[in-house]
Amino acid sequence: MLDGNLSVPGGFEAVWKRVSCSRDSCGDGGAAVLREFMLKAARACELYRSLSRKMPGCARTLCRLADEERCRLRALSGEYYLLTGECFAPPPACPLACGCLSALREAYLAETENAKAYRAAACSAEGDIAQLYERSAECEDCHAAALRGLILRAI
């Protein structure tokens, strides 16, 4: 049944690796990166919703940020489905564990780090997903600026 084609350099393992492209040998095509970004967007959305209820003076801005994070989560989820053929829903998280001002500061720092991560991911991605990452980085910068304004106004 097997012919001599498997006696090429590397043998069966090399051929199997090439045709199966397991996650360990070939990567997951960026699915892990997408999952991580989806988790961060979901957490941010929950945090901003929670903060909007605790900080009525900032509620409009925080609700807008939550809506934008939810839209980003949907866009990332769509790309994830196109890439893997699977749906991934981030699990719910406890959105608020500290005081409001501290939570705003942590969110500000997270948004700036996320912008850097999106830009790094955009450099290694191609096509539509690279454009999504670039747009997401720009949104994260805008969110960081809005959060900075809220913090400075609150102090």
Coordinates of all heavy atoms in Angstrom, one line a residue, residues 42-96:
A42 N -13.8 41.6 25.6 CA -14.9 41.2 26.4 C -14.7 41.8 27.9 O -15.7 42.3 28.4 CB -15.1 39.7 26.5
R43 N -13.5 41.6 28.4 CA -13.3 42.1 29.8 C -13.4 43.7 29.8 O -14.0 44.2 30.7 CB -11.9 41.8 30.2 CG -11.8 40.3 30.7 CD -10.5 40.1 31.4 NE -10.0 38.8 30.7 CZ -8.8 38.7 30.1 NH1 -8.0 39.7 30.1 NH2 -8.5 37.6 29.6
A44 N -12.9 44.4 28.8 CA -13.0 45.8 28.8 C -14.5 46.2 28.7 O -14.9 47.2 29.3 CB -12.2 46.4 27.6
C45 N -15.3 45.6 27.8 CA -16.7 45.9 27.7 C -17.4 45.8 29.0 O -18.1 46.7 29.5 CB -17.3 45.0 26.7 SG -19.1 45.3 26.4
E46 N -17.1 44.7 29.7 CA -17.8 44.4 31.0 C -17.3 45.5 32.1 O -18.1 46.0 32.9 CB -17.5 43.0 31.5 CG -18.2 41.9 30.7 CD -17.8 40.6 31.2 OE1 -17.1 40.4 32.2 OE2 -18.1 39.6 30.5
L47 N -16.0 45.8 32.0 CA -15.5 46.8 33.0 C -16.2 48.2 32.7 O -16.6 48.8 33.7 CB -14.0 46.9 32.8 CG -13.4 48.0 33.7 CD1 -13.5 47.7 35.2 CD2 -11.9 48.2 33.3
Y48 N -16.2 48.6 31.5 CA -16.8 49.9 31.2 C -18.3 50.0 31.5 O -18.8 51.0 32.0 CB -16.6 50.3 29.7 CG -15.1 50.4 29.4 CD1 -14.6 50.0 28.1 CD2 -14.2 50.9 30.3 CE1 -13.3 50.1 27.8 CE2 -12.8 51.0 30.0 CZ -12.4 50.6 28.8 OH -11.1 50.7 28.4
R49 N -19.0 48.9 31.3 CA -20.4 48.8 31.7 C -20.6 49.0 33.2 O -21.4 49.7 33.7 CB -21.1 47.5 31.2 CG -21.3 47.4 29.8 CD -22.7 48.0 29.4 NE -22.8 47.8 27.9 CZ -23.0 48.8 27.1 NH1 -23.1 50.0 27.5 NH2 -23.0 48.6 25.8
S50 N -19.7 48.3 33.9 CA -19.8 48.3 35.4 C -19.4 49.7 35.9 O -20.1 50.3 36.8 CB -18.9 47.3 36.0 OG -18.8 47.3 37.4
L51 N -18.4 50.3 35.3 CA -18.0 51.6 35.8 C -19.0 52.7 35.4 O -19.2 53.6 36.2 CB -16.6 52.0 35.1 CG -15.4 51.4 35.7 CD1 -14.2 51.7 34.9 CD2 -15.2 51.8 37.1
S52 N -19.7 52.5 34.3 CA -20.8 53.5 33.9 C -21.9 53.5 34.9 O -22.5 54.5 35.2 CB -21.3 53.2 32.5 OG -22.1 52.0 32.5
R53 N -22.2 52.4 35.6 CA -23.2 52.3 36.6 C -22.7 53.0 37.9 O -23.5 53.5 38.7 CB -23.7 50.9 36.8 CG -24.4 50.3 35.7 CD -25.0 49.0 36.0 NE -24.0 47.9 36.1 CZ -23.5 47.2 35.2 NH1 -23.9 47.4 33.9 NH2 -22.6 46.3 35.4
K54 N -21.4 52.9 38.2 CA -20.9 53.4 39.4 C -20.4 54.9 39.3 O -20.3 55.5 40.3 CB -19.7 52.6 39.9 CG -20.1 51.1 40.2 CD -18.9 50.4 40.8 CE -19.3 49.0 41.2 NZ -20.4 48.9 42.1
M55 N -20.2 55.4 38.1 CA -19.8 56.7 37.9 C -20.7 57.5 36.9 O -20.5 57.6 35.8 CB -18.4 56.7 37.3 CG -17.3 56.0 38.2 SD -15.7 55.9 37.4 CE -15.2 57.6 37.6
P56 N -21.9 57.9 37.4 CA -22.9 58.5 36.6 C -22.4 59.7 35.8 O -22.9 59.9 34.7 CB -24.0 58.9 37.5 CG -23.7 58.4 38.9 CD -22.3 57.9 38.8
G57 N -21.5 60.5 36.3 CA -20.9 61.6 35.6 C -20.1 61.2 34.4 O -20.0 62.1 33.4
C58 N -19.7 60.0 34.3 CA -18.8 59.5 33.2 C -19.6 58.5 32.4 O -19.0 57.9 31.5 CB -17.5 58.9 33.7 SG -16.6 60.0 34.7
A59 N -20.9 58.3 32.7 CA -21.6 57.1 32.1 C -21.6 57.2 30.6 O -21.5 56.1 30.0 CB -23.0 57.1 32.7
R60 N -21.9 58.3 30.0 CA -22.0 58.4 28.6 C -20.7 58.0 27.9 O -20.8 57.1 27.0 CB -22.4 59.8 28.1 CG -22.7 59.8 26.6 CD -23.0 61.2 26.1 NE -23.8 62.0 27.0 CZ -23.9 63.3 26.9 NH1 -23.3 64.0 26.0 NH2 -24.6 64.0 27.8
T61 N -19.6 58.5 28.4 CA -18.3 58.1 27.8 C -18.0 56.6 28.0 O -17.6 55.9 27.0 CB -17.2 59.0 28.4 OG1 -17.5 60.3 28.1 CG2 -15.8 58.6 27.8
L62 N -18.3 56.1 29.2 CA -18.0 54.7 29.5 C -18.9 53.8 28.7 O -18.4 52.7 28.2 CB -18.1 54.5 31.0 CG -17.0 55.2 31.8 CD1 -17.3 55.1 33.3 CD2 -15.6 54.5 31.5
C63 N -20.2 54.2 28.5 CA -21.1 53.3 27.7 C -20.6 53.3 26.2 O -20.7 52.3 25.6 CB -22.5 53.8 27.8 SG -23.3 53.4 29.3
R64 N -20.1 54.5 25.7 CA -19.6 54.5 24.4 C -18.4 53.6 24.2 O -18.3 52.8 23.2 CB -19.3 55.9 24.0 CG -18.7 56.0 22.5 CD -18.3 57.5 22.2 NE -17.4 58.1 23.1 CZ -16.1 57.9 23.1 NH1 -15.5 57.1 22.3 NH2 -15.3 58.5 24.0
L65 N -17.5 53.6 25.2 CA -16.3 52.7 25.1 C -16.8 51.3 25.2 O -16.2 50.4 24.5 CB -15.4 53.1 26.3 CG -14.7 54.4 26.3 CD1 -13.9 54.6 27.5 CD2 -13.9 54.7 25.0
A66 N -17.7 51.0 26.0 CA -18.2 49.6 26.1 C -18.8 49.1 24.8 O -18.6 48.0 24.3 CB -19.3 49.5 27.2
D67 N -19.6 50.0 24.2 CA -20.2 49.7 22.9 C -19.1 49.4 21.8 O -19.2 48.5 21.0 CB -21.2 50.8 22.4 CG -22.4 50.8 23.2 OD1 -22.7 49.9 23.9 OD2 -23.1 51.9 23.2
E68 N -18.1 50.3 21.8 CA -17.0 50.1 20.8 C -16.3 48.8 21.1 O -15.9 48.1 20.1 CB -16.1 51.3 20.9 CG -16.7 52.5 20.3 CD -15.9 53.8 20.5 OE1 -14.7 53.7 21.0 OE2 -16.4 54.9 20.1
E69 N -16.1 48.4 22.3 CA -15.4 47.2 22.7 C -16.2 46.0 22.2 O -15.7 45.0 21.7 CB -15.1 47.1 24.1 CG -14.0 48.0 24.6 CD -12.6 47.7 24.1 OE1 -12.4 46.6 23.5 OE2 -11.7 48.6 24.3
R70 N -17.6 46.1 22.4 CA -18.5 45.0 22.0 C -18.4 44.9 20.5 O -18.4 43.8 19.9 CB -19.9 45.3 22.4 CG -20.9 44.2 22.2 CD -22.2 44.5 22.8 NE -22.6 45.9 22.6 CZ -23.4 46.4 21.6 NH1 -23.8 45.6 20.7 NH2 -23.7 47.6 21.6
C71 N -18.4 46.0 19.7 CA -18.3 45.9 18.3 C -17.0 45.3 17.8 O -16.9 44.5 16.9 CB -18.4 47.3 17.7 SG -20.1 48.0 17.7
R72 N -15.9 45.6 18.5 CA -14.6 45.0 18.2 C -14.6 43.5 18.5 O -14.1 42.7 17.7 CB -13.5 45.7 19.0 CG -12.1 45.0 18.6 CD -10.9 45.7 19.2 NE -10.9 47.1 19.0 CZ -11.2 48.0 20.0 NH1 -11.4 47.6 21.2 NH2 -11.2 49.3 19.7
L73 N -15.3 43.2 19.6 CA -15.4 41.7 19.9 C -16.1 41.0 18.8 O -15.7 39.9 18.4 CB -16.1 41.6 21.3 CG -16.4 40.1 21.7 CD1 -15.1 39.3 21.8 CD2 -17.2 40.1 23.0
R74 N -17.2 41.6 18.3 CA -17.9 41.0 17.2 C -17.1 40.8 15.9 O -17.1 39.8 15.3 CB -19.2 41.7 16.9 CG -20.2 41.6 18.0 CD -21.4 42.4 17.8 NE -22.2 41.8 16.6 CZ -23.2 42.4 16.1 NH1 -23.7 43.5 16.6 NH2 -23.8 41.9 15.0
A75 N -16.3 41.9 15.6 CA -15.4 41.8 14.4 C -14.3 40.8 14.6 O -14.1 40.0 13.7 CB -14.8 43.2 14.2
L76 N -13.8 40.7 15.8 CA -12.7 39.7 16.1 C -13.3 38.3 16.0 O -12.7 37.3 15.5 CB -12.1 39.9 17.4 CG -11.2 41.2 17.5 CD1 -10.9 41.5 19.0 CD2 -10.0 41.1 16.7
S77 N -14.6 38.1 16.5 CA -15.2 36.8 16.5 C -15.5 36.4 15.1 O -15.4 35.2 14.8 CB -16.6 36.9 17.3 OG -16.3 37.2 18.6
G78 N -15.9 37.3 14.2 CA -16.1 37.0 12.8 C -14.8 36.5 12.2 O -14.8 35.5 11.4
E79 N -13.7 37.2 12.4 CA -12.4 36.8 11.9 C -12.0 35.4 12.4 O -11.5 34.6 11.7 CB -11.3 37.8 12.1 CG -11.5 39.1 11.4 CD -11.4 38.9 9.9 OE1 -10.6 38.0 9.4 OE2 -12.0 39.7 9.1
Y80 N -12.3 35.2 13.7 CA -11.9 33.9 14.3 C -12.7 32.8 13.6 O -12.1 31.7 13.3 CB -12.2 34.0 15.8 CG -11.8 32.7 16.5 CD1 -10.5 32.5 16.9 CD2 -12.7 31.7 16.8 CE1 -10.1 31.4 17.6 CE2 -12.3 30.5 17.5 CZ -11.0 30.4 17.8 OH -10.6 29.3 18.5
Y81 N -14.0 33.0 13.4 CA -14.8 32.0 12.7 C -14.3 31.7 11.3 O -14.2 30.6 10.9 CB -16.3 32.4 12.7 CG -17.1 31.3 12.1 CD1 -17.5 30.2 12.8 CD2 -17.5 31.4 10.8 CE1 -18.2 29.2 12.2 CE2 -18.3 30.4 10.2 CZ -18.6 29.3 10.9 OH -19.3 28.3 10.3
L82 N -14.0 32.8 10.6 CA -13.5 32.6 9.2 C -12.1 31.8 9.2 O -11.9 31.0 8.4 CB -13.3 33.9 8.6 CG -14.6 34.7 8.2 CD1 -14.2 36.1 7.7 CD2 -15.3 33.9 7.2
L83 N -11.3 32.1 10.3 CA -10.0 31.4 10.3 C -10.1 29.9 10.8 O -9.5 29.1 10.2 CB -9.1 32.2 11.3 CG -7.7 31.6 11.5 CD1 -6.9 31.8 10.2 CD2 -7.0 32.4 12.6
T84 N -11.0 29.7 11.8 CA -11.0 28.3 12.4 C -12.2 27.5 12.0 O -12.2 26.3 12.2 CB -10.9 28.4 13.9 OG1 -12.1 29.1 14.4 CG2 -9.7 29.2 14.3
G85 N -13.3 28.2 11.7 CA -14.6 27.5 11.5 C -15.3 27.2 12.8 O -16.3 26.4 12.8
E86 N -14.8 27.8 13.9 CA -15.4 27.5 15.2 C -15.8 28.9 15.8 O -15.2 29.9 15.6 CB -14.4 26.9 16.1 CG -13.8 25.6 15.7 CD -12.7 25.1 16.5 OE1 -12.3 25.8 17.5 OE2 -12.2 24.0 16.3
C87 N -16.9 28.8 16.6 CA -17.3 30.0 17.4 C -16.6 30.0 18.7 O -16.4 28.9 19.3 CB -18.8 29.9 17.6 SG -19.7 30.2 16.1
F88 N -16.2 31.1 19.2 CA -15.5 31.2 20.5 C -16.2 32.4 21.2 O -16.2 33.5 20.8 CB -14.0 31.5 20.3 CG -13.3 31.8 21.6 CD1 -13.0 30.7 22.5 CD2 -12.9 33.1 22.0 CE1 -12.3 31.0 23.7 CE2 -12.3 33.3 23.2 CZ -12.0 32.2 24.0
A89 N -16.7 32.1 22.4 CA -17.3 33.1 23.2 C -16.5 33.2 24.5 O -16.4 32.3 25.2 CB -18.8 32.7 23.5
P90 N -16.0 34.4 24.7 CA -15.2 34.6 26.0 C -16.1 34.4 27.2 O -17.2 34.8 27.2 CB -14.7 36.0 25.9 CG -14.8 36.4 24.5 CD -15.9 35.6 23.9
P91 N -15.6 33.7 28.2 CA -16.3 33.5 29.4 C -16.6 34.8 30.2 O -15.7 35.8 30.0 CB -15.5 32.6 30.3 CG -14.1 32.8 29.8 CD -14.2 33.2 28.3
P92 N -17.6 35.0 30.9 CA -17.8 36.2 31.7 C -16.7 36.4 32.7 O -16.2 35.4 33.2 CB -19.2 36.0 32.3 CG -19.6 34.6 32.1 CD -18.7 34.0 31.1
A93 N -16.4 37.6 33.0 CA -15.4 37.9 34.0 C -16.0 38.9 35.0 O -16.9 39.6 34.8 CB -14.2 38.6 33.3
C94 N -15.4 38.9 36.2 CA -15.7 39.9 37.2 C -15.1 41.2 36.8 O -13.9 41.4 36.9 CB -15.2 39.4 38.6 SG -15.6 40.5 39.9
P95 N -16.0 42.2 36.5 CA -15.5 43.4 35.9 C -14.8 44.4 36.8 O -14.0 45.2 36.4 CB -16.7 44.0 35.2 CG -17.8 43.5 36.0 CD -17.4 42.2 36.5
L96 N -15.2 44.5 38.1 CA -14.7 45.5 38.9 C -14.2 44.9 40.3 O -15.0 44.4 41.0 CB -15.8 46.6 39.2 CG -15.4 47.9 39.8 CD1 -14.3 48.6 38.9 CD2 -16.6 48.8 39.9

